[in-house]
Amino acid sequence: MVVDYAVIVVYLVGMLAMGWWGMRRARSKSEFLVAGRRLGPTLYSGTMAAIVLGGASTIGGVGLGYKHGLSGAWMVLTIGLGLLALSVFFSARIARLKVYTVSEMLDLRYGGRAGVISGVVMWAYTLMLAVTSTIAYATIFDVLFDLHRTVAIILGGTIVVAYSTLGGMWSITLTDMVQFVVKTIGVLLLLLPIAVVKAGGFSEMQAKLPTSYFDPLGIGGETIFTYVLIYTFGMLIGQDIWQRVFTARSDATAKWGGTVAGTYCLAYAVAGAVIGTAAKVLYPDLGNADDAFATIVKADLPIGIRGLVLAAALAAVMSTSSGALIACATVANNDIWSRLRGAVRRGEEVHDEVRGNRAFILIMGVGVICTAIALNDVVAALTVAYNLLVGGLLVPILGGLVWKRGTVQGALASVIVGGLTVVALMATAGILANEPIYYGLLASLAAYVVVSLLTRPTDEAVLAAWRERLAGRTPELPSEPVPAQQ
């Protein structure tokens, strides 16, 4: 295991070094939060794929394959489909807005007054997403170093908080690109073929497992439909995803780079399900399906390769964790704290604004680590996050993009009614039940349409400014500081 440990340590040190390098580039709010909106197709595709394919997609995806066979790919497939839909239909318009948060988009579209409430909902989502990713460190570091759960969470969380705080989006972009390469090599090019060969090939897998394991719809139609509602729609509106769209240097980069990343997600989904199916052949009596990834890695991979594949799992968790953390801090600072103080200050020094966002990442990071230590149920926390996001914000966000008649009153009613419905049904029917997202979405849609039709249309001046920004004819928001001269 010495070689495996060395691979992991080199990887972690490299992450911190990139954080230090990113700090040298992050000299303005734009550089710190959205990498100066300068990412080209290669960086954009790699980092977008890295953030959406986290620990749930890797460890959880293999676990679903172990439990359901090839149809276990559906969770990650719906993530990929959501990213494809976002990239093809919405990403160019989103990139042209030149904003930093989803709530800023809602204020532009509806004429203000929607930001704080939507910001609170988005903050809760990004916080829970960061927490679930941080909890996953416990599993990985337990496999690597046999560490106590709390120590593992603190170790993994501290590394992510450190490089995210130092360089913001530039550090996260660089580390995500490395993590994308490590995941590709570790999971797709090494673990996938080795697992299939160890299981005796596809013919042996089919001979030893029930036919349901090779039924594309074996996981169940209702489950697939729920995945679509939660994950596909969640990809369309999450701050963590939009903040990556804001980093694209052009419409074409956002559209086609995202399409490449979405297609990669589809391949990753199938790979995870196949690895899980192979693990079922090799280790049919595991007590927990989510142990399949760690078991097959520890038992069937040679020294060195084992370290690289475990680094791939760590990369998957870190990419999602860092993306969710900067999204959480951005929302907390720009949509909640700044608005509660009255307004974003004009004419601030570049270093003051960067320092403020850096401080929020550090504060949110400490909060995420403490929350992760206190919680145990990753699935429940992730479900709460996506239920709140989709049930509360999907309708007003997509409605604002496609329906001119939507009003600020309708948007606020949609957020409040949808969010409260989701919370109430999670409390009565259970967090993991399907009813919260089903009825939450219906209630949100009904409130949006009815209240919008009963209130005055959005002022034409607001809509005209909105159309100008959608067309890309408006520069950065006035609060954007001028980069320091070199």
Side-chain angles (χ1 to χ4, degrees), residues 112-431:
R113 294 184 291 168
V116 173
I117 294 177
S118 61
V120 170
V121 175
M122 188 63 77
W123 175 79
Y125 156 73
T126 54
L127 177 69
M128 284 295 99
L129 186 61
V131 166
T132 57
S133 300
T134 304
I135 291 173
Y137 295 129
T139 300
I140 297 172
F141 281 105
D142 177 60
V143 173
L144 289 173
F145 306 117
D146 194 26
L147 290 177
H148 185 273
R149 178 181 182 277
T150 300
V151 176
I153 288 174
I154 292 174
L155 175 61
T158 299
I159 293 170
V160 170
V161 172
Y163 73 69
S164 300
T165 301
L166 286 172
M169 187 58 81
W170 270 120
S171 294
I172 293 171
T173 294
L174 295 171
T175 54
D176 276 1
M177 196 63 200
V178 173
Q179 289 158 358
F180 169 74
V181 172
V182 171
K183 280 191 286 191
T184 301
I185 295 173
V187 176
L188 296 183
L189 302 183
L190 293 176
L191 182 58
L192 174 61
I194 289 173
V196 172
V197 170
K198 289 280 187 178
F202 285 102
S203 59
E204 187 69 16
M205 290 162 62
Q206 287 179 310
K208 290 186 175 180
L209 294 174
T211 56
S212 62
Y213 267 70
F214 302 92
D215 179 359
L217 303 178
I219 199 170
E222 184 177 359
T223 298
I224 295 171
F225 181 65
T226 302
Y227 284 160
V228 170
L229 288 182
I230 293 177
Y231 297 114
T232 300
F233 287 150
M235 287 297 105
L236 298 180
I237 59 174
Q239 169 69 23
D240 53 323
I241 309 302
W242 277 41
Q243 199 157 343
R244 295 311 173 97
V245 176
F246 299 151
T247 65
R249 72 183 179 198
S250 67
D251 294 359
T253 297
K255 183 174 182 178
W256 299 112
T259 301
V260 170
T263 304
Y264 177 89
C265 291
L266 302 183
Y268 200 89
V270 175
V274 171
I275 292 168
T277 304
K280 183 67 176 179
V281 173
L282 295 169
Y283 309 99
D285 300 318
L286 293 179
N288 186 346
D290 285 341
D291 291 338
F293 180 89
T295 300
I296 198 169
V297 168
K298 289 183 71 174
D300 294 289
L301 298 186
I303 294 174
I305 291 180
R306 180 170 52 207
L308 183 60
V309 173
L310 287 172
L314 192 59
V317 175
M318 283 188 161
S319 57
T320 301
S321 181
S322 59
L325 176 59
I326 193 172
C328 180
T330 302
V331 171
N333 188 16
N334 290 268
D335 292 339
I336 301 175
W337 175 245
S338 293
R339 293 167 191 262
L340 292 177
R341 285 189 307 171
V344 177
R345 294 178 181 175
R346 309 292 181 179
E348 284 189 82
E349 293 294 326
V350 170
H351 293 294
D352 287 346
E353 189 143 28
V354 171
R355 189 181 298 116
N357 283 290
R358 186 174 279 137
F360 264 87
I361 291 180
L362 180 60
I363 293 168
M364 292 297 108
V366 172
V368 164
I369 292 172
C370 293
T371 306
I373 292 171
L375 292 179
N376 286 312
D377 196 333
V378 178
V379 175
L382 192 63
T383 302
V384 169
Y386 273 98
N387 280 350
L388 285 172
L389 175 70
V390 176
L393 292 180
L394 177 69
V395 171
I397 292 172
L398 294 190
L401 289 171
V402 302
W403 192 39
K404 178 181 177 180
R405 187 61 180 83
T407 66
V408 65
Q409 294 87 353
L412 288 171
S414 179
V415 173
I416 294 170
V417 172
L420 290 178
T421 301
V422 164
V423 170
L425 287 174
M426 283 193 296
T428 55
I431 289 176

